Amino acid sequence: MWDAWDVDAFYRNTVTDLTDAESVTAGDDGASVRVVRSFGSSRVTQVLSLAPGERRLEVDTEVDWHETEKFLKLAFPLDVHAERYASETQFGHFHRPTHTNTSWEAAKFEACNHRFVHLEEPGWGVAVVNDSTYGHDVTRTVRADGGTTTTVRVSLLRAPRFPDPETDQGVHRFRHALVPGAGIGTRSARDGGSTCPSGASPAPGRSRRW
């Protein structure tokens, strides 16, 4: 009934992983890779950059979006065994479990954050930071080799029919970064006392539609 506002859990029943690439080319700067993918009536161009001396992987995504009743996410599968994860709020950060052991937790299949989602296991952490989009989900699975994969999926675009069938149609740009080794630290009072993973301040810029 509320197509543009509701996200139902059954969307996961028909997931397509966009693993094939139309082209993969190295950047002229020697520190980036450009990946182009096409699906349906849409096209995604991503530039993955790792500057010399930096520990954060920058992910610049441009989507020419022309889908109907689809939900586009950016996935980060991580080799991390985390019982819970932290997502930033306007007053700090909030922890949520990565499991779905109860019906209450299973119902939280889509959540919100501000600038970051942070995962950690004893002695090591990793953050996914953003500059514009705040919906996400986090799942945890056991691999065939016995290891654990915790996947952060950032929600980028939707294509509802109601009330506006043209919702999100067109070209959009997003910036994200993956920051291995990040830990949650406290910023100064002049920044409002907010928290952000160390070394993981959000990338500059904003999501835009053209």
Side-chain angles (χ1 to χ4, degrees):
M1 179 177 181
W2 308 106
D3 196 20
W5 291 272
D6 287 347
V7 176
D8 297 306
F10 59 72
Y11 83 84
R12 293 181 174 177
N13 296 339
T14 54
V15 172
T16 299
D17 292 326
L18 303 176
T19 55
D20 295 332
E22 187 176 301
S23 66
V24 179
T25 55
D28 295 335
D29 58 3
S32 63
V33 176
R34 183 175 183 267
V35 182
V36 179
R37 295 182 172 92
S38 295
F39 60 95
S41 301
S42 302
R43 184 183 179 91
V44 177
T45 301
Q46 289 183 301
V47 177
L48 288 76
S49 306
L50 184 62
E54 290 290 334
R55 66 174 182 176
R56 55 188 284 159
L57 176 69
E58 302 279 355
V59 182
D60 292 279
T61 304
E62 179 179 290
V63 185
D64 189 4
W65 182 248
H66 300 283
E67 301 302 312
T68 300
E69 295 186 337
K70 295 290 193 304
F71 195 7
L72 183 65
K73 284 178 171 275
L74 174 61
F76 295 88
L78 305 168
D79 186 12
V80 177
H81 188 114
E83 298 296 327
R84 63 179 188 172
Y85 71 95
S87 56
E88 190 189 37
T89 70
Q90 64 270 43
F91 302 117
H93 60 275
F94 181 78
H95 285 102
R96 295 183 175 92
T98 58
H99 62 75
T100 54
N101 292 342
T102 69
S103 59
W104 288 16
E105 302 306 337
K108 299 173 185 178
F109 54 85
E110 183 77 7
C112 62
N113 64 284
H114 280 202
R115 296 170 298 176
F116 69 81
V117 172
H118 180 265
L119 301 169
E120 65 180 352
E121 57 186 18
W124 196 81
V126 59
V128 175
V129 298
N130 75 88
D131 74 337
S132 57
T133 54
Y134 305 130
H136 69 273
D137 74 90
V138 178
T139 59
R140 190 180 70 194
T141 57
V142 177
R143 303 189 301 270
D145 64 3
T148 299
T149 298
T150 304
T151 303
V152 178
R153 297 178 187 84
V154 181
S155 302
L156 299 182
L157 294 166
R158 295 185 60 206
R161 289 182 179 270
F162 178 82
D164 180 7
E166 296 300 313
T167 298
D168 285 347
Q169 300 295 303
V171 177
H172 302 259
R173 293 187 175 95
F174 308 92
R175 298 196 70 187
H176 296 84
L178 180 68
V179 189
I184 295 181
T186 303
R187 290 188 167 190
S188 64
R190 65 185 176 86
D191 292 326
S194 62
T195 59
C196 190
S198 55
S201 57
R206 300 291 295 179
S207 163
R208 293 178 288 178
R209 177 178 175 178
W210 299 81

